[in-house]
Amino acid sequence: MTGIILQIIFILLVLFFLKVMFVYLFFNEEVKAAKGRDPAAKSSWEIILLYQGLHALIHYRIANYFYANKFFLVARLISQVSRWLTGIEIHPGASIGKRFFIDHGMGVVIGETAIIGDDVLLYQGVTLGGTGIEKGKRHPTIGNNVVVGAGAKVLGNITVGDNSYIGANAVVIKDVPANSTVVGIPGRITKQDGKKIDISLDHINVLDPLREDIEELQKRIESLEKK
Ligand SMILES: CC(C)(COP(=O)(O)OP(=O)(O)OC[C@H]1O[C@@H](n2cnc3c(N)ncnc32)[C@H](O)[C@@H]1OP(=O)(O)O)[C@@H](O)C(=O)NCCC(=O)NCCS
C-alpha cells in the first residue's frame, strides 16, 4: 500500500516538474510581463504556480490549437474546464498576441472573434463581447499595449487603438483612437496623446444625454432663482 502511495506521489511530482518546465520554456515572456505589471508579484514561481490569468492563457493556447485544427468540441471542452478552474472564459477561436496578462481574472469573458494585440493587460470582470445583434466578426479588436480596467465592457466589432486605456467599469461601444483614455457609460474620451480633452468642447464624441439634460435644467433653475 505504502509503495503505491509513493509511486503516485512520484508520478505527481514528475507531472508537476514537467508542467513547470513547459511553462518556463513556452510562457517565459508572459511570466516576465506579469511580473513587470503586477507590483504584488514577488517571484516567477508565484506567478507560475498561482496566477489564474497565466493558467487561463496556457489552457487557451492549447484549446486554440485544437480549434485551428477544427477539433471544435475538444477546444470548447478545454475552454470550459479552464473557465471552471480559473473563472476566466476565453473562447478558443479568439486571437491573442504576445505577453498577454490578465490580472486577478475572475469574470473575464473574451468572445470568439475578438482579436487582441501584444502587451495587453486586462483586469477582472472585463468583457470583450458582442452586442447581441451582430453576426460574423462581432467582438472587438484590441490594439497593442492596451489596458482594460476592472469591470469594463468593450462591445461589438470595434477597434481600440494602440496604447489606449479603458477606465474601470466603462462601457465602450465605439472605436477608440490610439493613445486615448476612455471612461464612463457610454465610454467617452477624456485624454488623447497625453492631453486632457475638455468634454464640453468635444463635439466629435457623443456626450451623456442625461447629464446634458441635468446640466441644462440646473442652469435654468439658477437663472430663475436669480430673477
Ligand atoms: C481611467 C483611469 C486610467 C484614469 O486615467 P487618468 O488619465 O489618470 O484620468 P484622471 O484620473 O485624470 O481622470 C480623468 C477624469 O475621468 C474620471 N475618471 C477616472 N476614472 C474613471 C472611471 N473609471 N470611471 C469614470 N470616470 C473616471 C475622473 O474623475 C476625471 O474626471 P474630471 O476630469 O471630471 O475630474 C483610471 O481611473 C482607471 O479607471 N483605471 C483602471 C484601473 C483598474 O481597473 N484597476 C484594477 C486594479 S484591481
Side-chain angles (χ1 to χ4, degrees), residues 104 123-124 149-150 165-168 181-184 190-191 196:
H104 306 293
Y123 285 103
Q124 70 276 14
Y165 210 128
I166 310 297
T181 299
V182 176
V183 302
T190 54
K191 242 182 212 173
K196 206 164 177 170

Side-chain angles (χ1 to χ4, degrees), residues 79 99 110 140:
S79 114
R99 298 173 292 279
I110 300 174

Side-chain angles (χ1 to χ4, degrees), residues 205-223:
N205 298 294
V206 181
L207 298 173
D208 181 349
L210 208 59
R211 188 170 149 176
E212 281 187 315
D213 285 349
I214 292 168
E215 279 170 2
E216 184 60 35
L217 283 170
Q218 262 173 348
K219 276 183 201 157
R220 289 181 68 179
I221 289 168
E222 276 168 23
S223 81

Side-chain angles (χ1 to χ4, degrees), residues 40-214:
K42 301 283 183 280
S43 68
S44 302
W45 281 103
E46 190 182 339
I47 295 163
I48 292 172
L49 296 176
L50 303 173
Y51 274 43
Q52 64 270 41
L54 178 70
H55 298 167
L57 179 68
I58 295 168
H59 303 153
Y60 155 77
R61 295 279 186 229
I62 298 167
N64 180 250
Y65 172 82
F66 283 103
Y67 190 90
N69 287 288
K70 302 204 181 330
F71 292 102
F72 299 122
L73 193 65
V74 181
R76 274 317 283 274
L77 181 70
I78 295 168
S79 114
Q80 286 303 303
V81 171
S82 176
R83 177 181 179 274
W84 182 67
L85 291 172
T86 65
I88 296 167
E89 184 173 338
I90 308 177
H91 194 286
S95 166
I96 299 181
K98 293 174 188 160
R99 298 173 292 279
F100 178 61
F101 177 44
I102 304 175
D103 202 358
H104 306 293
M106 184 58 85
V108 166
V109 176
I110 300 174
E112 183 183 16
T113 60
I115 299 173
I116 299 175
D118 296 335
D119 303 296
V120 170
L121 165 62
L122 309 185
Y123 285 103
Q124 70 276 14
V126 165
T127 300
L128 305 182
T131 57
I133 50 173
E134 294 158 313
K135 290 200 167 90
K137 170 83 170 89
R138 60 198 182 281
H139 302 111
T141 297
I142 309 291
N144 298 322
N145 201 31
V146 170
V147 177
V148 187
K153 317 286 176 232
V154 186
L155 304 176
N157 183 17
I158 59 172
T159 300
V160 176
D162 295 348
N163 314 313
S164 288
Y165 210 128
I166 310 297
N169 283 330
V171 177
V172 184
I173 47 173
K174 286 186 178 164
D175 287 344
V176 175
N179 312 313
S180 308
T181 299
V182 176
V183 302
I185 305 172
R188 57 182 200 278
I189 297 168
T190 54
K191 242 182 212 173
Q192 205 160 17
D193 296 319
K195 286 188 202 115
K196 206 164 177 170
I197 290 187
D198 184 349
I199 296 168
S200 60
L201 298 176
D202 177 17
H203 299 293
I204 299 166
N205 298 294
V206 181
L207 298 173
D208 181 349
L210 208 59
R211 188 170 149 176
E212 281 187 315
D213 285 349
I214 292 168

